[in-house]
Amino acid sequence: MTDIEKIHRPIRSFVLRQGRMTPSQQEAIQEGWPRYGIALSEGQEVFDWNKIFGREAPRVLEIGFGMGDSLIALAKQHPEMDFLGIEVHQPGVGRTLANAMSQELTNLKVFADDAIEVLKHVAPTSLDRVLLLFADPWPKKKHHKRRIVQDVFVEMVAQKLKLHGQFRLATDWQDYADHMLAVLDKSTSFRNCFGQGQYAPSPFERPITKFEMRGQKLGHVIRDLIYERI
Ligand SMILES: C[S@@+](CC[C@H](N)C(=O)[O-])C[C@H]1O[C@@H](n2cnc3c(N)ncnc32)[C@H](O)[C@@H]1O
């Protein structure tokens, strides 16, 4: 990497370790992307969800869906709602597309880009709910700047939510939970549905995720946080 690249490289909340794609994940991407994938293109403006889904419905966005288990389960449980997922990890995208096809879901679309870039093209007040489940905790202090939950990100999410829409977060990392609580409690765009300084009961109306199970095995306490756009 050149010095110039280092200077201009944004701080990202992920490191792309693509890992190996199984043949079925690769196949799923080839077959499922035309049906479920949305690519960001140059000159892209904001997405028109009504046009993309062909209907008007409540819209839920999950950031960093990992292997997509919660996203698929929610989309299946709620055919009356439309689901959008963002994930940079290709094997996770492949697995999610495979499951979307086998379940014949018609209320799901997927982005395989950095959530920050996707959010730039999400129309203001066009989402009913945003989910951020077990975001990378970046435990070392020197890496805290990589945590996706920061003031600017929180305001970006706020801008995309409808009035009374919800931002739901969960983490198994207490230090990150405290950080989320501090950042969100002081935001004037959100109200903590369980009261300032309070976590929600866990799990709050959501399926258990892969990373949550990993955290549980390590004896971590799971924290859910629920905020309403005000
Ligand atoms: C710890 S994993 C949790 C995955 C899943 N939500 C779960 O609970 O099993 C965090 C995920 O967020 C994704 N991620 C992190 N930053 C992202 C970003 N800026 N845009 C899209 N995905 C991101 C990572 O690739 C990773 O798969």
Side-chain angles (χ1 to χ4, degrees):
M1 197 191 308
T2 66
D3 285 347
I4 296 282
E5 276 169 335
K6 268 188 213 160
I7 291 164
H8 292 286
R9 206 161 149 248
I11 298 167
R12 296 218 164 91
S13 58
F14 58 91
V15 174
L16 259 195
R17 285 190 205 90
Q18 283 305 6
R20 277 167 72 89
M21 294 253 275
T22 63
S24 65
Q25 286 165 350
Q26 264 165 2
E27 244 172 65
I29 290 200
Q30 268 171 6
E31 210 190 312
W33 187 258
R35 184 161 157 203
Y36 293 105
I38 306 182
L40 290 183
S41 53
E42 212 157 300
Q44 175 79 57
E45 295 197 358
V46 292
F47 295 106
D48 179 344
W49 305 133
N50 287 357
K51 201 164 152 195
I52 287 171
F53 287 102
R55 66 171 182 175
E56 211 175 316
R59 308 258 146 78
V60 181
L61 168 71
E62 181 174 3
I63 295 174
F65 59 73
M67 297 311 262
D69 298 335
S70 57
L71 187 61
I72 294 287
L74 288 170
K76 196 162 182 223
Q77 276 165 24
H78 296 283
E80 77 287 4
M81 299 167 106
D82 290 333
F83 290 82
L84 297 150
I86 315 177
E87 177 53 64
V88 283
H89 183 62
Q90 285 286 326
V93 173
R95 159 118 172 239
T96 305
L97 295 184
N99 287 333
M101 285 189 286
S102 68
Q103 313 252 7
E104 297 185 355
L105 295 178
T106 57
N107 58 341
L108 175 70
K109 295 287 175 192
V110 167
F111 292 91
D113 286 288
D114 182 345
I116 304 298
E117 294 307 311
V118 176
L119 281 171
K120 290 179 187 167
H121 305 285
V122 172
T125 66
S126 69
L127 301 174
D128 294 80
R129 195 173 296 164
V130 174
L131 307 175
L132 181 69
L133 306 178
F134 302 88
D136 297 294
W138 294 105
K140 290 186 188 157
K141 202 159 187 175
K142 67 173 181 184
H143 289 148
H144 283 184
K145 57 181 180 288
R146 284 183 170 274
R147 288 176 166 177
I148 197 164
V149 177
Q150 311 282 354
D151 295 343
V152 174
F153 171 75
V154 164
E155 288 319 305
M156 206 170 183
V157 170
Q159 204 208 7
K160 311 303 176 185
L161 280 167
K162 292 179 188 161
L163 185 65
H164 307 306
Q166 286 189 348
F167 185 20
R168 298 184 174 189
L169 309 89
T171 180
D172 66 319
W173 204 264
Q174 187 60 50
D175 176 65
Y176 199 11
D178 293 339
H179 169 82
M180 289 172 175
L181 202 60
V183 171
L184 278 139
D185 270 4
K186 79 170 158 52
S187 165
T188 52
S189 305
F190 285 107
R191 176 184 77 83
N192 186 334
C193 296
F194 288 83
Q196 287 265 322
Q198 302 298 317
Y199 295 109
S202 288
F204 188 83
E205 296 174 9
R206 59 173 180 79
I208 305 294
T209 81
K210 183 180 161 209
F211 273 80
E212 176 169 15
M213 284 190 274
R214 186 179 284 187
Q216 277 169 338
K217 277 191 197 136
L218 293 169
H220 295 177
V221 174
I222 308 299
R223 299 295 194 188
D224 278 52
L225 299 90
I226 312 291
Y227 285 84
E228 181 193 335
R229 177 74 168 103
I230 50 173

